[in-house]
Amino acid sequence: MIVVETIGEMQSYIKEQKQNGFKVGFVPTMGFLHEGHVSLMHRANQECDIVVTSIFVNPTQFGPNEDFERYPRDFEWDERIAKDNGSDVLFYPSSTQMYPNEAGTKLTVTKRTNRLCGEKRPGHFDGVVTVLTKLFHIIQPDRAYFGQKDAQQVAVVDDLINSYFFPIELVVCPTIREEDGLAKSSRNVNLNDDERQIAPKLYEALNEAREKAQKGETVFEIRQALSDTLDRLERGETDYVEILSYPELEPIKTFDQKTIIALAYRFESARLIDNIII
Ligand code: AMP
C-alpha cells in the first residue's frame, strides 16, 4: 500500500491506473478506522482492481460547536488497518491541500436535508458534498463505498451523483455493530464507561420499533414509544427520533414504502446516530 499526501501525486497515479483499464473503488473516511470502515474496504477489494481509501477529517462538515478538535485521530493505526484490509492507496491530504483558498463556487444541498442530521447540523451536508465532489474529481472512482449507518449521507450522496452525472456507482454496505448491538463508530471512544453500558439500548429501541411496525402499530404510536424509551435512559439526551420514507426522507403515515427509523442521541462527549430500514 502506498500513502499519498498530495493531489498532484494522486491524480497521476489514478491516470496511470485508468490507462491500464483498472477499475477504481473508493472508500472515503475520516479515519480512526474500525470494522465498519474495514467492511467497506473488503467489499471494494472484492469488486475493484484498485482500492483507494481516504482519510480526511473534513473541517467544513463540522459546525462551530461540534467535535472537530476532539474527533479521534491516529494515523499509524489507520495506515496499518488500511494496509491489512485490501487498500492499495491511502490518500491522506492536508486541509491546505483540500482547501487551498476560499472557493468562489459553493455547493448547497437543498433536498433530503431538512430533517434528521441535516436539520440538527446546519451546513453539515454542504461540507460533505463539497469534500466528496473534490475527492470524486481527484480519484475518479468507478465505485464509491458508503455505510448504511450514515443513512442520510447515503441519500444525499445518491442525489449528488445523479444530479451532477458523476459516473460512479454508489455501493451501500450494512451497518457493522459491536456484539451488544452498538453501531461501530469512531466516536464510541469518547463514551465514558456508564455511557458505553447504555449505548446499546439505542439499537434495542430501534429493534423494538421494528417489531411494533411488524405487529401493525401506527407510525405515530411507534415514534412516540421510541421517543419515550430514549427519554428513560439514565444518561444523555435525544437529539431526534424520526420515521420517514427512504431515501426521500419525507414524513409518512403508514409503512407501505421503504422506511427509515432513525435516531440521534447526545452523550456528554459523543453524539451517536443509528437507524434501521424497513
Ligand atoms: P466516517 O469515517 O465516520 O466518516 O465513515 C466513513 C464511512 O464508513 C462512511 O461511509 C460511513 O457510513 C462508514 N461507516 C462508519 N461506521 C460504520 C459502521 N458501523 N458500519 C458500516 N459502515 C460504517
Side-chain angles (χ1 to χ4, degrees):
M1 186 186 79
I2 58 167
V3 178
V4 174
E5 296 191 15
T6 68
I7 292 169
E9 201 189 329
M10 194 67 235
Q11 283 171 321
S12 30
Y13 175 89
I14 290 293
K15 194 170 168 195
E16 203 182 310
Q17 303 306 320
K18 295 260 164 178
Q19 276 164 356
N20 291 333
F22 289 154
K23 292 265 175 253
V24 176
F26 177 38
V27 181
T29 84
M30 298 205 299
F32 213 68
L33 301 176
H34 52 67
E35 284 92 336
H37 302 115
V38 164
S39 73
L40 309 187
M41 289 176 214
H42 285 174
R43 177 89 179 263
N45 194 248
Q46 282 162 15
E47 297 177 350
C48 306
D49 301 307
I50 298 290
V51 178
V52 179
T53 296
S54 67
I55 294 181
F56 182 61
V57 185
N58 174 35
T60 64
Q61 70 189 66
F62 288 79
N65 299 316
E66 294 184 355
D67 58 349
F68 177 69
E69 301 296 339
R70 220 175 40 241
Y71 198 85
R73 294 161 170 90
D74 185 342
F75 182 70
E76 276 175 27
W77 164 265
D78 289 343
E79 193 178 7
R80 189 158 62 78
I81 298 295
K83 181 164 177 255
D84 291 349
N85 291 284
S87 296
D88 299 290
V89 183
L90 191 58
F91 183 46
Y92 181 54
S94 65
S95 285
T96 37
Q97 279 281 310
M98 293 302 285
Y99 296 102
N101 40 43
E102 180 76 14
T105 307
K106 303 269 184 200
L107 300 182
T108 309
V109 188
T110 54
K111 252 198 232 164
R112 303 180 173 177
T113 50
N114 56 349
R115 299 195 170 79
L116 308 178
C117 294
E119 183 188 1
K120 297 290 174 175
R121 304 181 66 188
H124 167 68
F125 286 110
D126 297 346
V128 169
V129 297
T130 300
V131 78
L132 285 177
T133 297
K134 289 175 185 241
L135 290 167
F136 286 169
H137 284 306
I138 298 163
I139 292 159
Q140 297 177 44
D142 296 279
R143 298 195 174 98
Y145 294 81
F146 288 84
Q148 187 62 51
K149 163 157 183 289
D150 297 275
Q152 190 171 22
Q153 174 166 271
V154 166
V156 167
V157 174
D158 173 59
D159 185 81
L160 173 70
I161 286 176
N162 290 325
S163 297
Y164 288 90
F165 310 117
F166 282 100
I168 299 174
E169 185 190 334
L170 170 62
V171 183
V172 184
C173 304
T175 302
I176 305 296
R177 298 178 179 282
E178 303 287 353
E179 270 179 24
D180 59 14
L182 174 63
K184 300 241 182 199
S185 165
S186 305
R187 290 186 167 97
N188 290 350
V189 292
N190 289 335
L191 298 172
N192 66 35
D193 290 348
D194 289 344
E195 292 171 339
R196 179 61 189 82
Q197 294 286 315
I198 291 168
K201 296 196 190 304
L202 303 177
Y203 183 51
E204 279 171 32
L206 287 172
N207 277 323
E208 280 165 21
R210 185 202 329 251
E211 281 162 25
K212 289 186 176 129
Q214 281 156 355
K215 280 190 205 140
E217 289 189 32
T218 66
V219 170
F220 179 81
E221 287 165 345
I222 296 168
R223 190 186 166 286
Q224 193 55 50
L226 180 53
S227 178
D228 292 345
T229 303
L230 298 187
D231 285 347
R232 284 195 297 270
L233 297 182
E234 285 145 33
R235 297 269 188 288
E237 61 184 50
T238 307
D239 202 17
Y240 62 71
V241 173
E242 296 251 36
I243 303 181
L244 302 168
S245 64
Y246 192 79
E248 302 80 10
L249 303 178
E250 296 294 342
I252 53 167
K253 291 208 163 71
T254 54
F255 287 101
D256 54 3
Q257 68 270 290
K258 195 169 175 187
T259 299
I260 184 168
I261 308 181
L263 59 81
Y265 197 82
R266 278 179 199 286
F267 289 105
E268 198 178 323
S269 302
R271 173 182 176 277
L272 303 187
I273 57 172
D274 202 352
N275 70 83
I276 52 173
I277 307 279
I278 56 174

